[in-house]
Amino acid sequence: MRWLAFTKRTAKEIILDPLTIAFGLGMPVALLLLLSAINSGIPEGYGPSNFKIENLTPGINVFAMSFLTLMAGLLLAKDRGSSLLQRLLTTPLTAVDYIIGYMVPLIPIALLQGVVCYGFALILGLSFTANIFLAILISMIPALLFTSLGLLLGTILNEKQVGGICGALVTNLTAWLSGAWFSLDMVGGAFKTIGQILPFYHAVEMQKAILHGNYSGIFIEGHLWVVLGYTVVLCVLAVVLFTSKMREK
Amino acid sequence: MTEIKLSSLTKRYKDITAVDSLSLEIEKGELFGLLGVNGAGKTTTIKMLSTLTAPTSGDAEIAGFSILGDKQKIRERIAISPQETAVAENLTARENLKMMAGIYGMDKDAAEKKIVELRDALSLGKVMDKRLKKLSGGYKRRVSIAMALINSPSVLFLDEPTLGLDVIARAELWEAIKAIKGELTIILTTHYLEEAQEMCDRLAVMKDGKLITVGTADEIMKEADVDDFEAAFVKLVKEGRS
């Protein structure tokens, strides 16, 4: 249970950084409001179906989770730059303890993102069904994916680089290539192919399927397996790279 | 009884030899000073002994365990207070100490008892519930040492413990180190020769990664044939004797 002591400390660090949490929670709410307002101005039968609240919410929720990459990456990169980690590396903590310690405190944040996102969507007209709870639950898989990606980047990049790559690149890639704003079919070609190779689109489609009660839909195009595969690979890579960095120290 | 034994310990970074075939023995309970100008290899030696970096060749044993093969066993027995203040700045002194106690797997009662003991030994009573980022450099350094002592290590590495502190904070910290002296083996690096002379049981002088001399302050002065320890240090380092 050594990881628990480290987890508590990480959780406190996250709580003491309310700006990042506010971004992670506030951004999806603002986007839901904006895109719903745009959608309300489009006559029925015209415009993209993506902006309908039942299609928009899973996309926005996945987009919000890209901020977990930023949070996890910044935490680890900041620690790597401090001598606190140097001290901790001389303790019996293992690489897995560290990764768990960084990952676990972000799970409640991801849950909160789901609750806020779907809660707000209900206010904006989403029909209440038990599928909302299932959608939030299954969103924990992409939450782990984004957290693992953050830990991977935080292991190899410094704080400034993490800010740039996670804050700009990952969030934008998630927004464009997940099909959250516009269908990948609208652009087609290489854009669609790249979108389908990356996990973001599958994370959104998986959540959409659950929300619409189409449970077997999570297996269409291998949505679940792609997201799970990326999550496992990124998590293992984060542990391996962190161990290697520890040895370098 | 020998607590630490270095056998031809060497660390090379590309074409630079930071520590060159260092061999020496440190007794249990000794306060041992590693002296040398910047770049002498003191911090690299401490990093190797504390398992932070692997040696290029050679080995060292701490309490009979090799730094090459028994890292985990060594990590359970040692603690380090690095050159920079290694604390979680956003947490209070108490939270920092609790975190370290948890990492070493101490139960709640044992942790509480040890925290009270360290609070008193290092005069931290006034600042226990204040966030570290609000404390002075001297207090942060004392908390850093308290964190290193939480698991009652048998070996403590203090890398430049008084670096950047004002005269008063430095004097207070030396008092704190005096208070724990004898209870465990301490290896410290410092640039303050007068204090090293007064505090340390034995001293080693390093230059360009090599050991120039080792002994008590009196033995080192005798070897350099001068009456002043600082003069002896300067003379030995300039001559680069080995």
Side-chain angles (χ1 to χ4, degrees):
Chain A
M1 297 291 273
R2 295 180 196 278
W3 59 269
L4 191 60
F6 186 62
T7 302
K8 280 183 192 169
R9 171 260 161 185
T10 314
K12 279 174 191 160
E13 293 280 357
I14 293 169
I15 291 164
L16 290 167
D17 184 12
L19 199 65
T20 315
I21 296 179
F23 244 95
L25 296 175
M27 187 66 99
V29 170
L31 285 170
L32 272 176
L33 270 175
L34 179 72
L35 296 174
S36 295
I38 292 171
N39 189 53
S40 66
I42 300 171
E44 189 64 30
Y46 293 89
S49 62
N50 292 53
F51 286 9
K52 288 184 177 163
I53 196 73
E54 64 273 20
N55 292 330
L56 191 61
T57 313
I60 298 292
N61 189 30
V62 168
F63 171 70
M65 284 180 184
S66 64
F67 285 91
L68 295 175
T69 306
L70 180 66
M71 287 184 209
L74 279 179
L75 259 175
L76 182 47
K78 211 184 278 182
D79 276 354
R80 275 183 45 238
S82 78
S83 48
L84 175 67
L85 193 63
Q86 193 183 36
R87 175 201 289 280
L88 296 179
L89 290 177
T90 65
T91 68
L93 281 178
T94 63
V96 174
D97 290 330
Y98 287 105
I99 298 298
I100 293 174
Y102 286 116
M103 212 173 240
V104 169
L106 288 167
I107 293 172
I109 306 272
L111 271 174
L112 197 61
Q113 281 182 321
V115 169
V116 168
C117 198
Y118 278 94
F120 221 79
L122 285 171
I123 298 169
L124 293 172
L126 180 71
S127 308
F128 179 80
T129 67
N131 290 330
I132 289 176
F133 298 110
L134 291 174
I136 293 174
L137 200 65
I138 205 151
S139 74
M140 290 305 102
I141 303 173
L144 289 176
L145 182 149
F146 282 110
T147 308
S148 302
L149 180 61
L151 295 179
L152 184 68
L153 294 171
T155 301
I156 53 176
L157 304 175
N158 64 34
E159 206 181 330
K160 203 175 165 187
Q161 291 167 328
V162 166
I165 288 182
C166 299
L169 191 65
V170 175
T171 47
N172 276 303
L173 280 179
T174 310
W176 300 337
L177 294 164
S178 64
W181 316 116
F182 47 87
S183 164
L184 295 182
D185 288 323
M186 275 175 70
V187 185
F191 186 86
K192 185 182 172 185
T193 309
I194 294 168
Q196 285 176 330
I197 290 170
L198 292 172
F200 314 123
Y201 158 76
H202 299 281
V204 173
E205 290 305 310
M206 198 170 76
Q207 225 178 105
K208 267 188 198 171
I210 294 284
L211 187 64
H212 294 157
N214 174 21
Y215 304 135
S216 61
I218 61 171
F219 300 107
I220 296 169
E221 292 181 65
H223 297 319
L224 178 67
W225 306 125
V226 174
V227 178
L228 261 178
Y230 267 97
T231 305
V232 171
V233 168
L234 287 172
C235 195
V236 170
L237 261 179
V239 173
V240 170
L241 276 174
F242 190 79
T243 309
S244 149
K245 281 271 173 189
M246 277 167 74
R247 285 200 187 119
E248 266 178 44
K249 279 258 179 189
Chain B
M1 188 184 162
T2 304
E3 178 84 343
I4 303 170
K5 187 179 175 187
L6 286 75
S7 311
S8 304
L9 198 64
T10 302
K11 182 71 183 179
R12 284 190 205 96
Y13 295 102
K14 291 181 181 168
D15 49 352
I16 296 168
T17 304
V19 176
D20 194 355
S21 201
L22 191 61
S23 295
L24 61 94
E25 291 185 7
I26 297 165
E27 296 297 307
K28 196 174 174 69
E30 213 176 355
L31 200 170
F32 191 88
L34 266 181
L35 307 179
V37 293
N38 289 338
K42 309 182 298 285
T43 299
T44 308
T45 303
I46 283 192
K47 279 187 174 177
M48 283 191 281
L49 292 175
S50 58
T51 74
L52 274 171
T53 188
T56 311
S57 62
D59 194 4
E61 284 180 5
I62 296 178
F65 297 108
S66 162
I67 59 167
L68 298 177
D70 305 311
K71 277 187 191 175
Q72 204 65 8
K73 282 185 178 141
I74 288 178
R75 286 174 182 176
E76 283 163 11
R77 289 166 172 79
I78 64 157
I80 183 170
S81 181
Q83 214 168 79
E84 292 157 48
T85 310
V87 294
E89 297 260 347
N90 279 324
L91 305 190
T92 65
R94 192 183 303 280
E95 286 169 339
N96 267 284
L97 291 169
K98 277 187 179 174
M99 172 184 75
M100 292 306 289
I103 285 170
Y104 281 105
M106 292 168 73
D107 67 52
K108 206 178 166 188
D109 289 343
E112 287 296 338
K113 203 176 157 194
K114 190 70 186 176
I115 288 170
V116 169
E117 191 186 301
L118 290 169
R119 178 198 68 192
D120 297 341
L122 293 159
S123 308
L124 292 169
K126 284 182 194 165
V127 300
M128 284 301 277
D129 296 307
K130 287 189 178 162
R131 284 198 199 163
L132 268 287
K133 66 179 175 189
K134 302 240 166 111
L135 299 186
S136 67
Y139 268 120
K140 280 184 193 174
R141 214 52 78 84
R142 272 193 259 173
V143 173
S144 184
I145 292 175
M147 287 165 76
L149 292 170
I150 195 84
N151 63 323
S152 307
S154 58
V155 177
L156 173 64
F157 296 100
L158 297 174
D159 195 6
E160 299 283 359
T162 54
L163 190 74
L165 299 186
D166 61 43
V167 180
I168 303 294
R170 220 169 72 210
E172 285 174 354
L173 192 63
W174 282 121
E175 281 305 313
I177 294 170
K178 256 185 203 169
I180 56 170
K181 188 182 168 183
E183 291 172 18
L184 68 168
T185 310
I186 303 174
I187 292 100
L188 74 84
T189 70
T190 182
H191 283 293
Y192 298 103
L193 298 178
E194 200 179 310
E195 288 152 346
Q197 179 190 4
E198 188 199 324
M199 294 277 298
C200 297
D201 299 313
R202 281 196 309 146
L203 301 137
V205 180
M206 292 178 73
K207 186 190 177 186
D208 298 332
K210 286 184 179 162
L211 182 69
I212 294 179
T213 188
V214 61
T216 63
D218 287 340
E219 285 167 352
I220 291 173
M221 284 190 287
K222 198 175 169 187
E223 188 185 338
D225 199 21
V226 289
D227 294 332
D228 176 64
F229 184 69
E230 193 172 319
F233 173 82
V234 171
K235 190 177 175 187
L236 291 173
V237 169
K238 276 193 171 174
E239 287 175 1
R241 285 159 54 169
S242 57

